[in-house]
Amino acid sequence: MAPDSERLLKCGFRNRIAAMTDTAESPAGAAHAPHPVPEPHEAPATTLEGELLRLLSRQSRLMAVPVFLGATLIYAVTRDDADSVWAALWLACVVVILVVRYYVLGHLPQWTSPSEAARLKIAVLLSGLNGLTHGAAVLFFPYLVEFERFIVFITILAFCAGSVSSTAGYRPVFLAYLVPTIGPLAATWLINPGAPIGWREIFVGSLTVLFGLVLVMLARDAFNLFRESFRMRTEQTELSGRLRQALEQSRVASAAKTRFLAAASHDLRQPVHSLALFSDSLSRQRLDERTKQIAEKIARNVDALSIELEALLDVSRLDAGAVEANVSSFDLNPMLARLLAQFSPLAEEKGLVIEMSSLEGATVKTDEMLLEQIVRNLLGNAVKYTDRGRISIRVNEAGGDAYSLELADTGRGIPSEAQQHIFEEFYQVDNAGRDRSRGLGLGLAITKRLVDLLELTLEFTSIVGEGTTFTLTLPRSTAARIRIEEKPPEVTFHELCVLVVDDEQDVLDGMKILLEGFGCEVELAMTTAEAVTLAKRRRPDVVLSDLRLRDTDDGLDTIHQLRALHRELPAILVTGDTAPERLRQASEAGVILLHKPVRPDKLASKINEACVSSQTTKNKDPVR
Ligand code: ADP
């Protein structure tokens, strides 16, 4: 049979990371569980041997006092009837071994050499010496009266029982203690020199041997438990290590993806932005029929591209926390009516019916624009993924303080294996070829982010071939009065002086044509310095600046410098940036943000918004 230390190596737990439980070898350690939690300052052992060394070390410290007390008890009962010098000598031996064990075992785990297996052998040796001294107490038996013998006997048996848990049943250390202790104890009953051996002696001697055998079995179970617990700990630690690694990898990958998307979409936005401006200007020209058709096709494609880029930007903005919920109380019905009007023509084209049933005066409290975007995404999907039948929009009571808004379709449904993925970015069912006419797979990813931002709940059920139902739960408003959004007054663009700052000549040219088409007077600058020079000559009514200018030049800086010249100058930042950090900086600066590619109608409405919100529109500073 292989020695125990060898078998330990075969357990296969070497070099694994473990945060193990801790116990130690010592008799009288019966009160201690074999697998206590490691001390916080102790580094967990990585091998089973190392863990055993830690256990033995800890127990040698913990058990020093109880063992000393037990030995003192034996000394107290033996010193009068046996020779007191021998009794004192015995106690001295016990104490010396106790101290040596305390010191050596206490430091064994920290030694770097010899090997752990060799250090375990030192523990075996010390355990043997300990057992020999304790077992030597039986030499006093011939001088003791029965009661004293009984006390010594019970004390040594208690030491033996305790050694099961304090050695975690590790056989070499355990047997090194047990054999020299219980052996002489049983022998004194069975071989009693100078006295007849009666049935009582045979009975007690046999019981002592039996007790020893039971302890051996218990020790085997305890060691199996110790080993199993070590295995589970190492596996658990290994798993959590792998999990941590996987999480870190996915964090790095996600950061790389965000960076890539930001860079790619920024670089795409610039040319698409110019393209959109030129395409809009082109469509305003007098063209022959053939060129007009081509111009319309260009405009449609630029529009589709702009919408896709817009979706990417929405994800970035939501992830950056750059979208704020503007919560108010409003009636759901006008919003639903707007959406119904928007989607009905498309539904009709596909031969679908959209039904709507709502509750009169269903007033909810949330962000109206963002909720509209959520419902638009869901309704858009319902129309897109339904080929025949109907789509229904229903508003119902959902408990005392909520409404449920249900969007059900009789479309193709979502396969169950896809259901857990549909809110992931770019996930599309059955679109391995990435057919762009089906969208980007971002609609529901944006929807989920919006639902989270508004703290709503969205649930869905879907059966393939039968249809899908999305249910939104919306908080009911308790407000007595509903705030009605006032439409901002419209600013006339005629002769409105717009200063455009951009480092790309194409963008400047496109903006000039577009804004002049609105009736504006346009000034162009490529740098902050040029913009400041122009603004000193004539105060613009509004400034439109790109965020990222050449080199270290920066649109935010441009606006600050222009506002230093003309207080509260209406300003709009136009950016192709989607990097969360840049978006956050821009939105924190409190300037109206427009994202490239800019749609002409959006540009017009933002210029309007900027001019209206600034009191300087009418009270202009004197031109310097
Ligand atoms: P997409 O741009 O592809 O519509 P979404 O994020 O909006 O992206 O949706 C993700 C996927 O979920 C879609 O590709 C589609 O397969 C599925 N899906 C969403 N809504 C429905 C619906 N009402 N019926 C069937 N499938 C749907």
Side-chain angles (χ1 to χ4, degrees):
M1 196 171 78
D4 274 281
S5 56
E6 265 179 54
R7 267 184 281 136
L8 279 177
L9 303 186
K10 287 179 194 158
C11 294
F13 306 131
R14 276 184 162 276
N15 303 321
R16 290 192 183 178
I17 299 160
M20 264 302 295
T21 54
D22 195 18
T23 50
E25 179 268 340
S26 170
H32 291 265
H35 315 292
V37 178
E39 301 267 307
H41 63 274
E42 288 176 11
T46 55
T47 60
L48 189 59
E49 294 93 329
E51 196 50 39
L52 268 169
L53 286 171
R54 267 160 48 86
L55 181 145
L56 296 172
S57 151
R58 190 162 185 265
Q59 286 299 79
S60 71
R61 290 195 200 118
L62 282 176
M63 291 302 113
V65 174
V67 171
F68 175 71
L69 292 177
T72 312
L73 179 68
I74 293 177
Y75 168 73
V77 295
T78 54
R79 65 185 288 265
D80 290 337
D81 291 332
D83 187 324
S84 64
V85 176
W86 280 109
L89 213 60
W90 177 84
L91 182 62
C93 282
V94 171
V95 171
V96 168
I97 289 173
L98 214 55
V99 172
V100 172
R101 284 180 69 250
Y102 185 96
Y103 181 80
V104 177
L105 288 185
H107 290 86
L108 271 188
Q110 290 95 53
W111 291 2
T112 47
S113 69
S115 67
E116 283 171 340
R119 278 179 271 158
L120 273 178
K121 282 184 183 146
I122 297 175
V124 174
L125 183 74
L126 288 171
S127 188
L129 281 175
N130 202 28
L132 275 175
T133 30
H134 292 180
V138 300
L139 293 173
F140 301 125
F141 270 32
Y143 311 101
L144 304 179
V145 296
E146 197 139 312
F147 176 67
E148 291 165 340
R149 260 196 228 177
F150 177 72
I151 290 179
V152 175
F153 180 71
I154 290 296
T155 308
I156 294 176
L157 283 189
F159 283 175
C160 293
S163 68
V164 174
S165 72
S166 62
T167 60
Y170 175 49
R171 197 174 289 167
V173 178
F174 171 69
L175 287 183
Y177 177 79
L178 187 78
V179 173
T181 321
I182 216 157
L185 209 57
T188 46
W189 293 100
L190 296 172
I191 320 155
N192 196 0
I197 298 172
W199 65 269
R200 201 175 64 128
E201 281 73 20
I202 294 177
F203 181 68
V204 177
S206 308
L207 269 187
T208 309
V209 173
L210 197 66
F211 183 73
L213 291 175
V214 170
L215 289 185
V216 171
M217 275 156 54
L218 285 176
R220 193 192 55 197
D221 288 351
F223 184 66
N224 286 342
L225 202 68
F226 173 82
R227 192 168 49 188
E228 187 58 17
S229 128
F230 180 79
R231 190 184 63 79
M232 279 163 54
R233 278 299 274 278
T234 49
E235 275 181 8
Q236 200 184 353
T237 314
E238 223 177 312
L239 271 179
S240 51
R242 265 193 256 149
L243 195 66
R244 258 199 310 276
Q245 215 178 349
L247 278 175
E248 180 56 21
Q249 277 169 355
S250 79
R251 198 191 58 73
V252 170
S254 161
K257 184 198 76 180
T258 307
R259 269 201 312 279
F260 169 76
L261 277 180
S265 73
H266 176 265
D267 294 352
L268 265 179
R269 267 162 215 285
Q270 288 292 93
V272 175
H273 180 55
S274 321
L275 206 59
L277 297 174
F278 287 128
S279 151
D280 188 78
S281 307
L282 187 64
S283 62
R284 290 165 198 268
Q285 309 298 314
R286 273 170 205 265
L287 304 167
D288 62 75
E289 204 44 41
R290 174 99 186 98
T291 320
K292 203 169 165 193
Q293 279 173 6
I294 296 173
E296 273 169 13
K297 280 193 180 152
I298 294 174
R300 259 205 310 278
N301 278 289
V302 170
D303 238 27
L305 201 55
S306 304
I307 289 168
E308 293 192 355
L309 285 171
E310 192 95 4
L312 273 176
L313 179 71
D314 282 346
V315 173
S316 294
R317 287 212 321 255
L318 283 160
D319 284 349
V323 178
E324 270 180 32
N326 182 11
V327 174
S328 65
S329 295
F330 60 93
D331 188 344
L332 261 182
N333 293 317
M335 185 195 91
L336 294 177
R338 266 197 310 275
L339 290 168
L340 192 66
Q342 188 183 342
F343 283 97
S344 287
L346 192 61
E348 266 169 37
E349 233 174 73
K350 292 183 79 177
L352 303 171
V353 179
I354 304 187
E355 303 167 335
M356 184 168 123
S357 74
S358 184
L359 300 171
E360 204 174 309
T363 310
V364 295
K365 194 170 180 200
T366 184
D367 183 306
E368 186 172 3
M369 262 173 59
L370 299 181
L371 177 66
E372 190 164 337
Q373 191 175 348
I374 294 173
V375 183
R376 188 180 298 114
N377 287 352
L378 296 175
L379 195 53
N381 277 349
V383 175
K384 189 160 43 162
Y385 298 111
T386 304
D387 301 319
R388 61 175 165 273
R390 56 191 63 243
I391 290 154
S392 61
I393 307 169
R394 277 192 213 100
V395 178
N396 288 312
E397 304 268 355
D401 52 2
Y403 287 109
S404 72
L405 171 58
E406 193 183 276
L407 281 135
D409 64 57
T410 55
R412 63 185 72 161
I414 305 164
S416 52
E417 65 279 7
Q419 291 186 6
Q420 55 176 321
H421 299 297
I422 59 169
F423 293 103
E424 293 167 9
E425 300 105 325
F426 304 108
Y427 183 83
Q428 293 182 303
V429 180
D430 290 339
N431 193 14
R434 308 289 303 166
D435 170 8
R436 284 281 57 81
S437 66
R438 285 197 36 199
L440 273 182
L442 283 176
L444 288 183
I446 293 169
T447 301
K448 185 184 178 311
R449 285 164 169 81
L450 290 172
V451 164
D452 290 346
L453 177 70
L454 299 182
E455 295 176 355
L456 307 176
T457 50
L458 176 65
E459 290 164 345
F460 76 98
T461 55
S462 186
I463 299 173
V464 173
E466 288 187 22
T468 306
T469 303
F470 282 91
T471 310
L472 255 179
T473 307
L474 303 165
R476 181 198 286 259
S477 169
T478 48
R481 286 185 55 224
I482 303 169
R483 187 168 60 84
I484 296 166
E485 283 285 330
E486 277 178 30
K487 258 191 112 193
E490 299 221 340
V491 172
T492 166
F493 284 180
H494 185 63
E495 291 181 357
L496 192 80
C497 178
V498 186
L499 171 56
V500 183
V501 190
D502 202 300
D503 57 343
E504 298 240 353
Q505 191 60 51
D506 282 349
V507 174
L508 289 178
D509 293 345
M511 278 289 199
K512 186 170 166 59
I513 298 170
L514 180 74
L515 290 167
E516 282 178 348
F518 289 169
C520 304
E521 286 179 13
V522 186
E523 304 246 36
L524 303 176
M526 288 188 105
T527 61
T528 301
E530 279 178 33
V532 170
T533 312
L534 287 172
K536 277 183 181 165
R537 234 181 278 146
R538 179 185 177 184
R539 182 196 191 282
D541 293 313
V542 59
V543 58
L544 271 175
S545 178
D546 187 20
L547 177 59
R548 227 193 267 188
L549 297 172
R550 206 147 286 176
D551 301 325
T552 52
D553 211 357
D554 184 285
L556 268 174
D557 200 35
T558 317
I559 291 173
H560 285 145
Q561 292 199 29
L562 292 175
R563 280 185 171 169
L565 280 177
H566 306 292
R567 234 164 37 90
E568 294 181 28
L569 177 68
I572 298 171
L573 258 185
V574 187
T575 176
D577 257 299
T578 53
E581 199 40 46
R582 296 280 291 179
L583 291 178
R584 201 173 302 127
Q585 278 171 4
S587 71
E588 277 168 10
V591 180
I592 293 178
L593 255 185
L594 254 180
H595 298 279
K596 290 178 183 177
V598 176
R599 312 248 281 279
D601 52 337
K602 205 159 184 185
L603 178 66
S605 89
K606 288 290 173 184
I607 292 177
N608 196 59
E609 189 186 319
C611 293
V612 168
S613 65
S614 167
Q615 297 153 355
T616 57
T617 313
K618 291 189 185 85
N619 295 323
K620 290 180 183 173
D621 291 344
V623 177
R624 293 222 232 163

